[in-house]
mmCIF file of all heavy atoms in Angstrom:
data_model
loop_
_atom_site.group_PDB
_atom_site.id
_atom_site.type_symbol
_atom_site.label_atom_id
_atom_site.label_comp_id
_atom_site.label_asym_id
_atom_site.label_seq_id
_atom_site.Cartn_x
_atom_site.Cartn_y
_atom_site.Cartn_z
ATOM 1 N N PHE A 109 1.140 -6.254 -9.981
ATOM 2 C CA PHE A 109 -0.092 -5.820 -10.644
ATOM 3 C C PHE A 109 -0.387 -4.540 -9.861
ATOM 4 O O PHE A 109 -0.356 -4.518 -8.636
ATOM 5 C CB PHE A 109 -1.197 -6.822 -10.510
ATOM 6 C CG PHE A 109 -2.548 -6.324 -10.772
ATOM 7 C CD1 PHE A 109 -2.850 -6.033 -12.204
ATOM 8 C CD2 PHE A 109 -3.489 -6.051 -9.823
ATOM 9 C CE1 PHE A 109 -4.164 -5.590 -12.444
ATOM 10 C CE2 PHE A 109 -4.713 -5.472 -10.121
ATOM 11 C CZ PHE A 109 -5.015 -5.257 -11.440
ATOM 12 N N VAL A 110 -0.666 -3.415 -10.570
ATOM 13 C CA VAL A 110 -0.783 -2.081 -9.807
ATOM 14 C C VAL A 110 -2.221 -1.420 -9.868
ATOM 15 O O VAL A 110 -2.785 -1.428 -11.003
ATOM 16 C CB VAL A 110 0.262 -1.060 -10.406
ATOM 17 C CG1 VAL A 110 0.185 0.212 -9.474
ATOM 18 C CG2 VAL A 110 1.655 -1.618 -10.452
ATOM 19 N N ILE A 111 -2.720 -1.134 -8.781
ATOM 20 C CA ILE A 111 -4.079 -0.364 -8.820
ATOM 21 C C ILE A 111 -3.806 1.035 -8.432
ATOM 22 O O ILE A 111 -3.271 1.327 -7.311
ATOM 23 C CB ILE A 111 -4.976 -1.064 -7.874
ATOM 24 C CG1 ILE A 111 -5.286 -2.553 -8.161
ATOM 25 C CG2 ILE A 111 -6.275 -0.293 -7.774
ATOM 26 C CD1 ILE A 111 -6.096 -3.369 -7.138
ATOM 27 N N VAL A 112 -4.171 1.934 -9.255
ATOM 28 C CA VAL A 112 -3.863 3.341 -9.052
ATOM 29 C C VAL A 112 -5.186 3.992 -8.469
ATOM 30 O O VAL A 112 -6.232 3.880 -9.064
ATOM 31 C CB VAL A 112 -3.365 4.144 -10.238
ATOM 32 C CG1 VAL A 112 -3.194 5.680 -9.875
ATOM 33 C CG2 VAL A 112 -2.122 3.478 -10.765
ATOM 34 N N VAL A 113 -5.058 4.765 -7.348
ATOM 35 C CA VAL A 113 -6.315 5.351 -6.782
ATOM 36 C C VAL A 113 -6.244 6.890 -6.747
ATOM 37 O O VAL A 113 -7.168 7.555 -6.807
ATOM 38 C CB VAL A 113 -6.441 4.791 -5.277
ATOM 39 C CG1 VAL A 113 -7.648 5.444 -4.667
ATOM 40 C CG2 VAL A 113 -6.544 3.300 -5.282
ATOM 41 N N THR A 114 -4.951 7.340 -6.695
ATOM 42 C CA THR A 114 -4.606 8.796 -6.525
ATOM 43 C C THR A 114 -5.451 9.600 -7.641
ATOM 44 O O THR A 114 -5.317 9.211 -8.928
ATOM 45 C CB THR A 114 -3.071 9.082 -6.672
ATOM 46 O OG1 THR A 114 -2.535 8.173 -5.724
ATOM 47 C CG2 THR A 114 -2.754 10.472 -6.408
ATOM 48 N N ASN A 115 -5.941 10.698 -7.333
ATOM 49 C CA ASN A 115 -6.721 11.618 -8.235
ATOM 50 C C ASN A 115 -5.690 12.596 -8.977
ATOM 51 O O ASN A 115 -4.705 12.915 -8.316
ATOM 52 C CB ASN A 115 -7.813 12.311 -7.605
ATOM 53 C CG ASN A 115 -9.067 11.612 -7.551
ATOM 54 O OD1 ASN A 115 -9.431 10.965 -8.457
ATOM 55 N ND2 ASN A 115 -9.834 11.735 -6.453
ATOM 56 N N PRO A 116 -5.992 13.040 -10.195
ATOM 57 C CA PRO A 116 -6.963 12.668 -11.051
ATOM 58 C C PRO A 116 -6.819 11.240 -11.549
ATOM 59 O O PRO A 116 -5.843 11.062 -12.304
ATOM 60 C CB PRO A 116 -7.093 13.817 -12.084
ATOM 61 C CG PRO A 116 -5.701 14.371 -12.076
ATOM 62 C CD PRO A 116 -5.187 14.202 -10.663
ATOM 63 N N MET A 117 -7.586 10.253 -11.070
ATOM 64 C CA MET A 117 -7.231 8.939 -11.280
ATOM 65 C C MET A 117 -6.988 8.347 -12.626
ATOM 66 O O MET A 117 -5.977 7.748 -12.789
ATOM 67 C CB MET A 117 -8.273 8.108 -10.517
ATOM 68 C CG MET A 117 -8.132 6.658 -10.372
ATOM 69 S SD MET A 117 -8.453 5.687 -11.902
ATOM 70 C CE MET A 117 -10.159 6.045 -12.179
ATOM 71 N N ASP A 118 -7.785 8.692 -13.526
ATOM 72 C CA ASP A 118 -7.621 8.096 -14.980
ATOM 73 C C ASP A 118 -6.259 8.650 -15.492
ATOM 74 O O ASP A 118 -5.515 7.835 -16.250
ATOM 75 C CB ASP A 118 -8.669 8.461 -15.956
ATOM 76 C CG ASP A 118 -10.147 7.992 -15.419
ATOM 77 O OD1 ASP A 118 -10.377 6.828 -15.424
ATOM 78 O OD2 ASP A 118 -10.841 8.841 -14.816
ATOM 79 N N ILE A 119 -5.928 9.954 -15.214
ATOM 80 C CA ILE A 119 -4.687 10.500 -15.729
ATOM 81 C C ILE A 119 -3.534 9.854 -15.024
ATOM 82 O O ILE A 119 -2.448 9.606 -15.706
ATOM 83 C CB ILE A 119 -4.678 11.975 -15.531
ATOM 84 C CG1 ILE A 119 -6.157 12.581 -15.696
ATOM 85 C CG2 ILE A 119 -3.648 12.712 -16.273
ATOM 86 C CD1 ILE A 119 -6.766 12.285 -17.053
ATOM 87 N N MET A 120 -3.494 9.735 -13.641
ATOM 88 C CA MET A 120 -2.513 9.300 -12.942
ATOM 89 C C MET A 120 -2.190 7.701 -13.187
ATOM 90 O O MET A 120 -1.043 7.264 -13.275
ATOM 91 C CB MET A 120 -2.680 9.366 -11.443
ATOM 92 C CG MET A 120 -2.844 10.715 -10.844
ATOM 93 S SD MET A 120 -1.287 11.744 -11.271
ATOM 94 C CE MET A 120 -1.859 12.964 -12.347
ATOM 95 N N THR A 121 -3.277 6.979 -13.616
ATOM 96 C CA THR A 121 -3.065 5.628 -14.060
ATOM 97 C C THR A 121 -2.340 5.593 -15.449
ATOM 98 O O THR A 121 -1.456 4.820 -15.538
ATOM 99 C CB THR A 121 -4.566 4.862 -14.218
ATOM 100 O OG1 THR A 121 -5.243 5.155 -13.006
ATOM 101 C CG2 THR A 121 -4.351 3.411 -14.487
ATOM 102 N N TYR A 122 -2.765 6.421 -16.291
ATOM 103 C CA TYR A 122 -2.044 6.452 -17.562
ATOM 104 C C TYR A 122 -0.537 6.866 -17.444
ATOM 105 O O TYR A 122 0.320 6.237 -17.966
ATOM 106 C CB TYR A 122 -2.676 7.564 -18.481
ATOM 107 C CG TYR A 122 -2.010 7.674 -19.846
ATOM 108 C CD1 TYR A 122 -2.428 6.857 -20.984
ATOM 109 C CD2 TYR A 122 -0.955 8.609 -20.107
ATOM 110 C CE1 TYR A 122 -1.791 6.951 -22.162
ATOM 111 C CE2 TYR A 122 -0.403 8.635 -21.351
ATOM 112 C CZ TYR A 122 -0.802 7.893 -22.341
ATOM 113 O OH TYR A 122 -0.193 7.973 -23.577
ATOM 114 N N LEU A 123 -0.358 7.784 -16.515
ATOM 115 C CA LEU A 123 1.099 8.306 -16.211
ATOM 116 C C LEU A 123 1.915 7.120 -15.690
ATOM 117 O O LEU A 123 2.997 6.820 -16.175
ATOM 118 C CB LEU A 123 1.063 9.507 -15.339
ATOM 119 C CG LEU A 123 2.433 9.970 -14.912
ATOM 120 C CD1 LEU A 123 3.174 10.653 -16.024
ATOM 121 C CD2 LEU A 123 2.219 11.151 -13.821
ATOM 122 N N LEU A 124 1.235 6.413 -14.709
ATOM 123 C CA LEU A 124 2.089 5.341 -14.106
ATOM 124 C C LEU A 124 2.265 4.123 -15.042
ATOM 125 O O LEU A 124 3.277 3.601 -15.140
ATOM 126 C CB LEU A 124 1.351 4.706 -12.865
ATOM 127 C CG LEU A 124 2.064 3.707 -12.059
ATOM 128 C CD1 LEU A 124 2.013 3.934 -10.549
ATOM 129 C CD2 LEU A 124 1.474 2.285 -12.376
ATOM 130 N N PHE A 125 1.316 3.952 -16.015
ATOM 131 C CA PHE A 125 1.386 2.903 -17.004
ATOM 132 C C PHE A 125 2.613 3.262 -17.970
ATOM 133 O O PHE A 125 3.514 2.438 -18.212
ATOM 134 C CB PHE A 125 0.096 2.807 -17.819
ATOM 135 C CG PHE A 125 0.212 2.169 -19.135
ATOM 136 C CD1 PHE A 125 0.352 0.806 -19.248
ATOM 137 C CD2 PHE A 125 -0.003 2.908 -20.341
ATOM 138 C CE1 PHE A 125 0.187 0.102 -20.387
ATOM 139 C CE2 PHE A 125 -0.014 2.223 -21.548
ATOM 140 C CZ PHE A 125 0.127 0.869 -21.659
ATOM 141 N N ARG A 126 2.741 4.521 -18.245
ATOM 142 C CA ARG A 126 3.738 4.917 -19.140
ATOM 143 C C ARG A 126 5.146 4.843 -18.503
ATOM 144 O O ARG A 126 6.111 4.494 -19.045
ATOM 145 C CB ARG A 126 3.473 6.312 -19.767
ATOM 146 C CG ARG A 126 2.379 6.489 -20.777
ATOM 147 C CD ARG A 126 2.714 5.897 -22.151
ATOM 148 N NE ARG A 126 3.883 6.650 -22.664
ATOM 149 C CZ ARG A 126 3.867 7.710 -23.250
ATOM 150 N NH1 ARG A 126 2.744 8.365 -23.563
ATOM 151 N NH2 ARG A 126 4.984 8.433 -23.666
ATOM 152 N N LYS A 127 5.158 5.462 -17.272
ATOM 153 C CA LYS A 127 6.410 5.463 -16.614
ATOM 154 C C LYS A 127 6.951 4.117 -16.047
ATOM 155 O O LYS A 127 8.120 3.985 -16.048
ATOM 156 C CB LYS A 127 6.347 6.339 -15.305
ATOM 157 C CG LYS A 127 6.011 7.808 -15.572
ATOM 158 C CD LYS A 127 7.337 8.588 -15.800
ATOM 159 C CE LYS A 127 7.096 9.999 -16.113
ATOM 160 N NZ LYS A 127 8.322 10.766 -16.339
ATOM 161 N N THR A 128 6.038 3.157 -15.837
ATOM 162 C CA THR A 128 6.592 1.778 -15.472
ATOM 163 C C THR A 128 6.951 1.007 -16.697
ATOM 164 O O THR A 128 7.689 0.109 -16.634
ATOM 165 C CB THR A 128 5.511 0.973 -14.603
ATOM 166 O OG1 THR A 128 4.320 0.926 -15.411
ATOM 167 C CG2 THR A 128 5.281 1.619 -13.310
ATOM 168 N N GLY A 129 6.103 1.223 -17.845
ATOM 169 C CA GLY A 129 6.422 0.442 -19.068
ATOM 170 C C GLY A 129 5.709 -0.811 -18.864
ATOM 171 O O GLY A 129 6.026 -1.764 -19.629
ATOM 172 N N PHE A 130 4.849 -1.101 -17.788
ATOM 173 C CA PHE A 130 4.230 -2.352 -17.687
ATOM 174 C C PHE A 130 3.261 -2.673 -18.749
ATOM 175 O O PHE A 130 2.703 -1.787 -19.310
ATOM 176 C CB PHE A 130 3.432 -2.378 -16.295
ATOM 177 C CG PHE A 130 4.338 -2.507 -15.026
ATOM 178 C CD1 PHE A 130 5.649 -2.533 -15.123
ATOM 179 C CD2 PHE A 130 3.658 -2.788 -13.838
ATOM 180 C CE1 PHE A 130 6.383 -2.724 -13.983
ATOM 181 C CE2 PHE A 130 4.474 -2.996 -12.699
ATOM 182 C CZ PHE A 130 5.827 -2.949 -12.706
ATOM 183 N N PRO A 131 3.038 -3.952 -19.097
ATOM 184 C CA PRO A 131 1.866 -4.271 -19.988
ATOM 185 C C PRO A 131 0.577 -3.828 -19.428
ATOM 186 O O PRO A 131 0.298 -3.715 -18.328
ATOM 187 C CB PRO A 131 1.903 -5.745 -20.119
ATOM 188 C CG PRO A 131 2.722 -6.204 -18.893
ATOM 189 C CD PRO A 131 3.561 -5.155 -18.353
ATOM 190 N N LYS A 132 -0.300 -3.602 -20.405
ATOM 191 C CA LYS A 132 -1.662 -2.936 -20.093
ATOM 192 C C LYS A 132 -2.533 -3.935 -19.194
ATOM 193 O O LYS A 132 -3.382 -3.376 -18.481
ATOM 194 C CB LYS A 132 -2.470 -2.646 -21.311
ATOM 195 C CG LYS A 132 -2.843 -3.824 -22.213
ATOM 196 C CD LYS A 132 -3.547 -3.415 -23.395
ATOM 197 C CE LYS A 132 -3.953 -4.735 -24.265
ATOM 198 N NZ LYS A 132 -4.636 -4.356 -25.432
ATOM 199 N N ASN A 133 -2.260 -5.151 -19.075
ATOM 200 C CA ASN A 133 -3.051 -5.964 -18.066
ATOM 201 C C ASN A 133 -2.597 -5.817 -16.678
ATOM 202 O O ASN A 133 -3.313 -6.301 -15.807
ATOM 203 C CB ASN A 133 -2.946 -7.416 -18.503
ATOM 204 C CG ASN A 133 -1.531 -8.116 -18.503
ATOM 205 O OD1 ASN A 133 -0.687 -7.463 -18.976
ATOM 206 N ND2 ASN A 133 -1.423 -9.208 -17.775
ATOM 207 N N ARG A 134 -1.514 -5.226 -16.468
ATOM 208 C CA ARG A 134 -1.009 -5.045 -15.132
ATOM 209 C C ARG A 134 -1.124 -3.739 -14.491
ATOM 210 O O ARG A 134 -0.523 -3.451 -13.459
ATOM 211 C CB ARG A 134 0.484 -5.475 -15.087
ATOM 212 C CG ARG A 134 0.616 -7.043 -15.166
ATOM 213 C CD ARG A 134 1.887 -7.630 -14.531
ATOM 214 N NE ARG A 134 2.982 -7.621 -15.287
ATOM 215 C CZ ARG A 134 4.096 -6.906 -15.005
ATOM 216 N NH1 ARG A 134 4.294 -6.389 -13.898
ATOM 217 N NH2 ARG A 134 5.239 -7.021 -15.784
ATOM 218 N N VAL A 135 -1.827 -2.861 -15.165
ATOM 219 C CA VAL A 135 -2.124 -1.478 -14.424
ATOM 220 C C VAL A 135 -3.577 -1.122 -14.719
ATOM 221 O O VAL A 135 -4.203 -1.161 -15.678
ATOM 222 C CB VAL A 135 -1.281 -0.409 -15.233
ATOM 223 C CG1 VAL A 135 -1.554 0.951 -14.535
ATOM 224 C CG2 VAL A 135 0.195 -0.606 -15.166
ATOM 225 N N VAL A 136 -4.389 -0.861 -13.596
ATOM 226 C CA VAL A 136 -5.651 -0.417 -13.687
ATOM 227 C C VAL A 136 -5.834 0.722 -12.606
ATOM 228 O O VAL A 136 -5.017 0.974 -11.801
ATOM 229 C CB VAL A 136 -6.691 -1.443 -13.223
ATOM 230 C CG1 VAL A 136 -6.977 -2.452 -14.269
ATOM 231 C CG2 VAL A 136 -6.497 -2.106 -11.875
ATOM 232 N N GLY A 137 -7.029 1.508 -12.820
ATOM 233 C CA GLY A 137 -7.281 2.521 -11.858
ATOM 234 C C GLY A 137 -8.563 2.088 -11.092
ATOM 235 O O GLY A 137 -9.374 1.426 -11.708
ATOM 236 N N MET A 138 -8.719 2.571 -9.942
ATOM 237 C CA MET A 138 -9.994 2.317 -9.125
ATOM 238 C C MET A 138 -10.785 3.540 -9.010
ATOM 239 O O MET A 138 -10.298 4.550 -8.644
ATOM 240 C CB MET A 138 -9.512 1.947 -7.651
ATOM 241 C CG MET A 138 -10.775 1.481 -6.848
ATOM 242 S SD MET A 138 -12.129 2.663 -6.431
ATOM 243 C CE MET A 138 -11.226 3.635 -5.152
ATOM 244 N N ALA A 139 -11.955 3.446 -9.436
ATOM 245 C CA ALA A 139 -13.065 4.467 -9.289
ATOM 246 C C ALA A 139 -14.354 3.826 -9.636
ATOM 247 O O ALA A 139 -15.363 4.158 -9.038
ATOM 248 C CB ALA A 139 -12.798 5.721 -10.197
ATOM 249 N N GLY A 140 -14.390 3.069 -10.771
ATOM 250 C CA GLY A 140 -15.722 2.534 -11.129
ATOM 251 C C GLY A 140 -16.447 1.704 -10.162
ATOM 252 O O GLY A 140 -17.714 1.800 -10.016
ATOM 253 N N VAL A 141 -15.709 0.949 -9.369
ATOM 254 C CA VAL A 141 -16.359 0.194 -8.324
ATOM 255 C C VAL A 141 -17.000 1.130 -7.283
ATOM 256 O O VAL A 141 -18.045 0.830 -6.866
ATOM 257 C CB VAL A 141 -15.401 -0.855 -7.692
ATOM 258 C CG1 VAL A 141 -16.082 -1.622 -6.538
ATOM 259 C CG2 VAL A 141 -14.786 -1.818 -8.631
ATOM 260 N N LEU A 142 -16.221 2.133 -7.070
ATOM 261 C CA LEU A 142 -16.721 3.177 -5.960
ATOM 262 C C LEU A 142 -17.976 3.924 -6.563
ATOM 263 O O LEU A 142 -19.016 3.988 -5.958
ATOM 264 C CB LEU A 142 -15.569 4.209 -5.669
ATOM 265 C CG LEU A 142 -15.990 5.296 -4.893
ATOM 266 C CD1 LEU A 142 -16.598 5.051 -3.493
ATOM 267 C CD2 LEU A 142 -14.845 6.386 -4.796
ATOM 268 N N ASP A 143 -17.854 4.441 -7.766
ATOM 269 C CA ASP A 143 -18.926 5.140 -8.338
ATOM 270 C C ASP A 143 -20.152 4.327 -8.532
ATOM 271 O O ASP A 143 -21.291 4.722 -8.243
ATOM 272 C CB ASP A 143 -18.557 5.832 -9.679
ATOM 273 C CG ASP A 143 -17.428 6.802 -9.592
ATOM 274 O OD1 ASP A 143 -17.364 7.501 -8.535
ATOM 275 O OD2 ASP A 143 -16.519 6.967 -10.528
ATOM 276 N N THR A 144 -19.869 3.067 -8.889
ATOM 277 C CA THR A 144 -21.013 2.127 -9.069
ATOM 278 C C THR A 144 -21.625 1.737 -7.721
ATOM 279 O O THR A 144 -22.841 1.645 -7.544
ATOM 280 C CB THR A 144 -20.506 0.824 -9.706
ATOM 281 O OG1 THR A 144 -19.992 1.131 -11.020
ATOM 282 C CG2 THR A 144 -21.721 -0.165 -9.924
ATOM 283 N N SER A 145 -20.809 1.675 -6.620
ATOM 284 C CA SER A 145 -21.354 1.351 -5.310
ATOM 285 C C SER A 145 -22.222 2.521 -4.822
ATOM 286 O O SER A 145 -23.216 2.308 -4.153
ATOM 287 C CB SER A 145 -20.141 1.104 -4.356
ATOM 288 O OG SER A 145 -20.561 0.613 -3.125
ATOM 289 N N ARG A 146 -21.768 3.733 -5.154
ATOM 290 C CA ARG A 146 -22.537 4.828 -4.781
ATOM 291 C C ARG A 146 -24.033 4.850 -5.468
ATOM 292 O O ARG A 146 -24.971 5.071 -4.801
ATOM 293 C CB ARG A 146 -21.863 6.174 -5.010
ATOM 294 C CG ARG A 146 -20.775 6.433 -4.142
ATOM 295 C CD ARG A 146 -20.002 7.747 -4.487
ATOM 296 N NE ARG A 146 -19.031 8.060 -3.402
ATOM 297 C CZ ARG A 146 -17.837 8.610 -3.598
ATOM 298 N NH1 ARG A 146 -17.464 9.014 -4.803
ATOM 299 N NH2 ARG A 146 -17.015 8.834 -2.546
ATOM 300 N N PHE A 147 -24.014 4.557 -6.821
ATOM 301 C CA PHE A 147 -25.260 4.517 -7.483
ATOM 302 C C PHE A 147 -26.110 3.343 -6.945
ATOM 303 O O PHE A 147 -27.307 3.622 -6.586
ATOM 304 C CB PHE A 147 -24.841 4.138 -9.049
ATOM 305 C CG PHE A 147 -26.044 4.091 -9.905
ATOM 306 C CD1 PHE A 147 -26.562 5.193 -10.491
ATOM 307 C CD2 PHE A 147 -26.609 2.874 -10.181
ATOM 308 C CE1 PHE A 147 -27.767 5.069 -11.318
ATOM 309 C CE2 PHE A 147 -27.754 2.687 -11.025
ATOM 310 C CZ PHE A 147 -28.233 3.902 -11.631
ATOM 311 N N ARG A 148 -25.486 2.227 -6.612
ATOM 312 C CA ARG A 148 -26.246 1.094 -6.130
ATOM 313 C C ARG A 148 -26.872 1.477 -4.761
ATOM 314 O O ARG A 148 -27.989 1.175 -4.344
ATOM 315 C CB ARG A 148 -25.387 -0.182 -5.977
ATOM 316 C CG ARG A 148 -24.932 -0.741 -7.263
ATOM 317 C CD ARG A 148 -23.776 -1.696 -7.159
ATOM 318 N NE ARG A 148 -24.155 -2.954 -6.413
ATOM 319 C CZ ARG A 148 -23.387 -3.827 -5.968
ATOM 320 N NH1 ARG A 148 -22.097 -3.623 -5.996
ATOM 321 N NH2 ARG A 148 -23.762 -4.877 -5.379
#
Side-chain angles (χ1 to χ4, degrees):
F109 170 72
V110 187
I111 301 173
V112 180
V113 180
T114 306
N115 272 325
M117 184 279 298
D118 300 284
I119 322 302
M120 294 302 112
T121 309
Y122 180 87
L123 179 63
L124 186 132
F125 166 70
R126 288 283 305 274
K127 292 271 182 184
T128 54
F130 279 11
K132 63 182 183 184
N133 64 309
R134 285 207 275 125
V135 181
V136 286
M138 187 294 287
V141 178
L142 169 65
D143 296 328
T144 302
S145 186
R146 286 180 172 146
F147 182 84
R148 294 167 68 196

